[in-house]
Amino acid sequence: MNLHEYQGKEILNSFGVRIQRGIVASNHKDAVDAAKQLTTETGTSWYVVKAQVHAGGRGKGGGVKLAKSLAEVETISNDIIGMMLVTPQTSAEGKKVNQVLICEDVYYPGDSEPEEYYMSVLLNRNTGKNMIMYSTEGGMDIETVAEETPHLIFTEEIDPTMGLLPFQARKIAFNLGLSGVALKEMTKFVSALYTAYIKSDSSMFEINPVLKTSDSKILAVDAKVTLDENALYRHKDYAEMRDLREENPIEVEAKAAGLNYVDLDGNVGCMVNGAGLAMGTMDLIKQAGGEPANFLDVGGTADAARVETAFGIILKDPNVKAILVNIFGGIVRCDRVAQGVVDAYKSMGDKINVPIICRLQGTNAVEAKKLIDNSGMEIISATEFQEAADKVAEVLAL
Ligand code: GDP
Ligand code: MN
């Protein structure tokens, strides 16, 4: 689950990671109040207005702006709130901005060269260990750094049984070219950051930039935090941070119905039971020349109600031109699934406006095929995997 910058920073702060202070606001009046409060708390007289959307590269898209007075906070917030922010990480239409984070300006005027670093914490799936990735080249697109100057990106792997050891935190600070007070501050920053990552059950932290101020403070100016959804039951307060406005509405609905659904760009809707078979089905659709419109695992109980919900969700995607049902009946018998498909089809009537190809294999597959063929519904049955894919290609006239 992805979080907004202000929520990520809240979590970091709760574990003692120093952050650029900020207050979130959803209209320009609140933004001005937020700025006044920041001045009381931090003494800042300049502010940064930052669009809160689940996408990076906001600065490039005009979603991060410096305000040198309360009047500027008001006009800039007014401009940013409600805008469709387009960044290198959003679609062409962009993301609607509902809130801004009003931050203290931490790039002191007269600071000749504020140092910006890159730091992320994530799981290295190849070694099964968490690692800290870091670079002196912060503030910019890390993908470009990785491509053009990969030697400037360092990684430090952490042994899961021992955790981050003090020498590792010092090594990171040292590799970033720090000494004296800044080295000590960075060592503390890295330790607190790793503790926050572990204790919050996160799956990714990306802090770009980490800033060194001219008086050697180290702080997180940005925070991209992804929480491990499977651990949310341990963090009720984090679960409440979910912002459904940022998520794909069809995926939100599918999740509420207990379906495992991921929206994709193609035109063949898939309804499959089991993640492995779903992946195999998507591969086969591609081999036959089609493109899957979604990944959908309906799970073990493919009864009529579930099949109907799944059809409804698949059909919300206007790109869908055919639906392939591919279900293996192990414990759940194929004839019961077939009955479910037929019942769902009947009850949905003309809401189903695309051809359906249905392949049921496993227990009672023969009975299932008969049931479909004799249903009088326009459902094309198939027995073999390849046959099903070919029939999809046929109806799409590929
Ligand atoms: P992103 O573009 O979505 O990654 O958003 P960031 O939070 O990283 O902000 C983008 C850029 O805004 C940073 O790289 C900084 O250069 C700049 N910025 C952020 N905070 C401040 C600030 O307090 N003062 C000034 N002058 N610039 C800032
Ligand atoms: Mn950033």
Side-chain angles (χ1 to χ4, degrees):
M1 177 176 115
N2 292 327
L3 298 181
H4 285 295
E5 174 195 358
Y6 78 93
Q7 298 166 322
K9 280 179 167 172
E10 208 172 294
I11 293 179
L12 295 185
N13 185 50
S14 73
F15 290 101
V17 179
R18 193 196 292 269
I19 53 161
Q20 174 194 39
R21 302 278 302 277
I23 298 171
V24 75
S26 29
N27 61 62
H28 58 280
K29 292 270 175 270
D30 289 355
V32 173
D33 289 343
K36 284 183 189 156
Q37 196 182 326
L38 274 179
T39 298
T40 315
E41 287 173 13
T42 69
T44 192
S45 50
W46 286 6
Y47 315 89
V48 186
V49 181
K50 308 179 83 177
Q52 299 298 289
V53 289
H54 287 190
R58 295 163 301 165
K60 285 193 193 113
V64 178
K65 293 227 165 100
L66 188 65
K68 299 186 178 175
S69 66
L70 291 175
E72 282 186 19
V73 168
E74 182 158 7
T75 50
I76 293 171
S77 300
N78 199 26
D79 289 345
I80 293 183
I81 295 170
M83 83 187 279
M84 293 297 288
L85 180 61
V86 180
T87 85
Q89 294 184 17
T90 65
S91 65
E93 74 189 75
K95 288 204 123 178
K96 176 143 187 253
V97 182
N98 297 305
Q99 290 162 299
V100 288
L101 185 63
I102 308 299
C103 290
E104 57 173 331
D105 177 24
V106 286
Y107 290 59
Y108 306 140
D111 210 349
S112 53
E113 191 103 331
E115 292 286 345
E116 293 181 317
Y117 311 106
Y118 172 91
M119 193 169 293
S120 59
V121 190
L122 68 165
L123 176 66
N124 180 344
R125 289 175 191 277
N126 292 326
T127 59
K129 289 179 184 165
N130 288 315
M131 62 179 178
I132 298 176
M133 271 178 69
Y134 59 103
S135 175
T136 49
E137 308 305 293
M140 53 179 103
D141 198 11
I142 197 67
E143 284 77 16
T144 313
V145 180
E147 223 163 79
E148 290 170 7
T149 48
H151 60 283
L152 294 178
I153 299 182
F154 300 91
T155 58
E156 186 67 28
E157 292 221 336
I158 295 122
D159 186 293
T161 57
M162 291 194 277
L164 180 75
L165 297 172
F167 87 88
Q168 292 182 295
R170 281 199 300 276
K171 181 169 135 199
I172 291 171
F174 189 75
N175 280 341
L176 288 172
L178 299 173
S179 58
V181 178
L183 184 131
K184 280 205 186 104
E185 288 289 314
M186 180 59 88
T187 308
K188 268 201 279 183
F189 181 91
V190 173
S191 308
L193 192 70
Y194 191 71
T195 304
Y197 174 83
I198 294 296
K199 294 239 167 104
S200 62
D201 285 313
S202 288
S203 56
M204 207 244 341
F205 274 2
E206 189 178 50
I207 318 296
N208 188 21
V210 173
L211 178 75
K212 175 170 87 78
T213 62
S214 49
D215 53 356
S216 294
K217 282 193 198 108
I218 304 291
L219 50 96
V221 167
D222 193 3
K224 205 169 176 186
V225 168
T226 305
L227 299 172
D228 180 350
E229 293 208 21
N230 293 317
L232 277 183
Y233 73 97
R234 299 205 283 216
H235 306 279
K236 296 281 186 291
D237 48 336
Y238 297 170
E240 283 166 19
M241 291 179 172
R242 169 161 253 138
D243 186 349
L244 293 177
R245 294 173 297 188
E246 295 289 327
E247 298 183 15
N248 177 315
I250 309 182
E251 291 184 4
V252 171
E253 190 188 334
K255 179 172 271 171
L259 299 167
N260 229 326
Y261 176 93
V262 181
D263 201 23
L264 300 169
D265 296 330
N267 55 4
V268 182
C270 313
M271 188 191 315
V272 189
N273 68 337
L277 186 57
M279 303 288 270
T281 305
M282 288 160 59
D283 282 352
L284 210 78
I285 288 172
K286 268 187 111 81
Q287 269 179 25
E291 287 289 336
N294 65 277
F295 169 98
L296 173 58
D297 173 9
V298 287
T301 51
D303 56 18
R306 237 174 135 66
V307 170
E308 189 173 335
T309 314
F311 274 143
I313 284 167
I314 292 174
L315 288 168
K316 287 228 161 101
D317 178 349
N319 297 325
V320 168
K321 298 286 175 285
I323 297 176
L324 171 58
V325 179
N326 189 12
I327 300 228
F328 175 75
I331 293 169
V332 51
R333 290 174 359 232
C334 290
D335 50 332
R336 285 200 54 186
V337 178
Q339 193 61 54
V341 171
V342 171
D343 290 349
Y345 197 105
K346 263 189 207 149
S347 98
M348 293 186 78
D350 49 9
K351 271 188 248 154
I352 297 186
N353 50 6
V354 298
I356 293 182
I357 295 91
C358 185
R359 176 207 179 227
L360 297 166
Q361 193 53 277
T363 311
N364 289 1
V366 178
E367 289 83 344
K369 185 170 167 23
K370 264 190 215 140
L371 220 152
I372 301 250
D373 291 342
N374 299 334
S375 68
M377 305 282 138
E378 282 175 65
I379 306 173
I380 303 163
S381 68
T383 312
E384 298 304 322
F385 209 158
Q386 185 62 51
E387 180 196 355
D390 290 343
K391 285 184 170 164
V392 169
E394 213 171 284
V395 300
L396 292 175
L398 290 169

